[in-house]
Structures are given as structure tokens and as C-alpha cells.
Amino acid sequence: MTYRDFWQPLTALYDKGEAQAVARLVMEQRFGLTWTDVLCGQTGDEATMRQLQQQLLSGTPVQYVLGEAEFGGRTFKVTPAVLIPRPETYGLCQWVAADCRAAEADGSRILDIGTGSGCIACTLAAELPGAAVSGWDVSEAALAVAAENARRTRVCVQFERMDILDSFSASAGQQSATYDVIVSNPPYICRQEAAAMAPHVLEHEPHLALFVPDDDPLLFYRAIARFSQTALPPAGRLYFEINPLYAEPLRQMLTDSGFAEVCLRDDQFGKQRYIKAVKP
């Protein structure tokens, strides 16, 4: 099977450029071929290529097919138990890391709530070598993936099963540690938004990590903000990735909850994607 034979059927799901990019990623990651190799006509094993092609044609995201995703220049294991890391989320990591360096706080105690693949926690542990980083998630399967990613990236992160919506669990977690920084990319998509989502996201990525009730889009933000009021010291910082549709209600909620210096920041695509708040 040639490179063209591999990517052309994928145009049933992707536009031409995306289909070619997916095919090139498969050639590079699964078969170790450079773009020069591909241009010279080299390909992978025929049977394996057909199997991968069929998985892609079923709508399975290429990251799940390959079992890996690039994030911030590092390669993370991904399975259907975790969301595929997005480049926007790396922007949140960069903001947290830059603030810690500016405050000369490389030794910060950092908690990532809803850690999923561990991409945020592992990235911050790698980019802030002196930090003590922890990650919470309600999913045991996600925590197993996160632990593997800590090994892959050669960092030390303390992962723990914790449900931030369970007040008893959250209180138990708060008693065991105080944090300088709390960061989270929580579920923030309302069910009513599902109709506009790409099928490969809706049908394959974990709904537990995606959706909140239509009547309560700030469900996780409120719980994390409430926890942060006692888990953060004065001048402790809270960071969120957000749904741009609810940026203003979230800003108001954090302000009303007593946080100071609440500010929004755009992602690389010009959308309001992050918010930061400081405990007075």
C-alpha cells in the first residue's frame, strides 16, 4: 500500500490536508519513516497499514489508534479512558510555569484536579523540576495512564483517586496537603453543545471528562473554587482552562467567591480559554 493509497480513503472523514497529515503521522510514529522515506516510496507493513486504515475509517482518532499524542514537545500515552491532550491546554501549562518562575517559586506545591492523562501535571513537573506536583482524578483507568506518563516523562508526580464533587473526599485531600497552585482543565461542555461536536470526539473520547449538565455549566469550577479557598494560602493561585461561552459568569463567580486579581487570557486561536485567580 502506497502513502497515497493510505490517505485517499481517509478523505471520507477528513479534508485532503488533514488526511495527509494523519497518514504522515502514522508513517512517522508507527513505522519510524521520515518524510523523505515516504517521498522515496517507503511504507510500512501492508497488513498493519490496512488494519490502521480501517481503525481510522471507523472514526477512531489517530492518537487512540497510535496510543500516543504529542503535547508540549513530549509524547504521552493515551487511551479511550482519557481525553486527547490539546495544544490549547499546553498554553495553560505555560502560564502556570511562567508565573512560578517569575515569582521565583520553582519549589511550588502544585495540584492538578481532573488530571486525566496527566499531561498538565507531568508537564509542570518537567518544566518546574523543583515543584512538588500532585494529580487527582475520579477515574482509576485515567490514573493508570497518568502514572505511565510520569514514567515516560521521567518525573515524580503523586497521583491519587479523588472526586472533587464529593465534599468528604475533597476535605480529606485538603487535610493532607496545602498547595501553592491549583490548576484544572475540568469538564466544561454542556450536553446541548454535543450536536456541534466532531463525531470522532463525541463517539470516542470519554464523556466523563467532557460534559457537564446543561443547567450547571460551572459545576466543577464552583467545587474547585470552594476547595481552593481553604487549600490555598494567601497569594496562592488558581488556574482553569475554560469554555469561552461561560467566561464572564466564571469570572463573576470567582470574584463573588472572594478571589482577587481575576483575569482572563486568550489561547493561540484568539479564544478566551484560561482564567487565573489569586487568594487574597
Side-chain angles (χ1 to χ4, degrees):
M1 179 185 292
T2 67
Y3 168 69
R4 176 179 288 274
D5 290 338
F6 188 86
W7 70 256
Q8 276 194 325
L10 301 181
T11 56
L13 298 176
Y14 304 97
D15 64 36
K16 179 180 176 181
E18 289 177 313
Q20 290 175 331
V22 166
R24 181 171 174 178
L25 187 63
V26 169
M27 296 298 180
E28 291 175 350
Q29 290 198 10
R30 179 54 60 90
F31 300 109
L33 298 173
T34 67
W35 183 231
T36 300
D37 294 332
V38 173
L39 292 176
C40 290
Q42 294 187 48
T43 58
D45 172 72
E46 176 89 9
T48 303
M49 288 182 68
R50 290 197 180 280
Q51 180 185 39
L52 296 173
Q53 186 185 62
Q54 287 305 308
Q55 288 180 273
L56 291 166
L57 287 171
S58 74
T60 304
V62 64
Q63 294 89 346
Y64 289 152
V65 171
L66 296 173
E68 294 181 338
E70 189 277 336
F71 182 79
R74 300 174 180 87
T75 301
F76 285 81
K77 175 181 178 179
V78 292
T79 75
V82 300
L83 289 182
I84 297 166
R86 265 67 172 183
E88 298 95 314
T89 303
Y90 184 57
L92 180 65
C93 295
Q94 289 177 301
W95 194 5
V96 174
D99 280 357
C100 286
R101 294 190 194 103
E104 298 183 349
D106 183 51
S108 295
R109 296 159 297 176
I110 301 173
L111 173 63
D112 173 25
I113 297 178
T115 195
S117 67
C119 63
I120 292 175
C122 293
T123 296
L124 292 174
E127 299 191 4
L128 298 168
V133 183
S134 302
W136 288 359
D137 206 284
V138 70
S139 166
E140 293 282 8
L143 290 169
V145 174
E148 172 60 25
N149 282 325
R151 289 189 287 270
R152 281 185 173 218
T153 52
R154 300 180 180 180
V155 297
C156 180
V157 178
Q158 181 67 45
F159 291 111
E160 186 175 0
R161 186 181 184 279
M162 199 72 71
D163 182 357
I164 193 63
L165 297 183
D166 180 340
S167 58
F168 177 81
S169 293
S171 296
Q174 183 232 314
Q175 289 170 7
S176 64
T178 298
Y179 306 96
D180 302 300
V181 173
I182 293 175
V183 58
S184 183
N185 177 19
Y188 59 59
I189 300 173
C190 288
R191 291 280 177 180
Q192 63 191 5
E193 299 176 66
M197 295 173 65
H200 66 271
V201 175
L202 190 60
E203 295 171 10
H204 295 276
E205 298 202 51
H207 287 197
L208 179 67
L210 286 171
F211 291 110
V212 289
D214 288 343
D215 62 352
D216 197 1
L218 302 185
L219 173 66
F220 286 92
Y221 296 102
R222 274 200 319 276
I224 295 169
R226 186 165 53 246
F227 169 76
S228 299
Q229 287 170 335
T230 53
L232 288 172
R237 302 185 302 280
L238 173 62
Y239 299 82
F240 286 122
E241 182 171 327
I242 71 171
N243 185 335
L245 293 174
Y246 303 104
E248 183 53 31
L250 177 54
R251 187 198 66 75
Q252 190 62 53
M253 183 272 287
L254 290 170
T255 301
D256 292 345
S257 298
F259 286 93
E261 301 177 46
V262 180
C263 60
L264 291 154
R265 180 176 286 192
D266 291 352
D267 64 18
Q268 66 268 49
F269 306 111
K271 291 187 176 181
Q272 289 185 318
R273 185 65 63 186
Y274 321 113
I275 197 165
K276 169 187 170 183
V278 178
K279 181 178 175 181

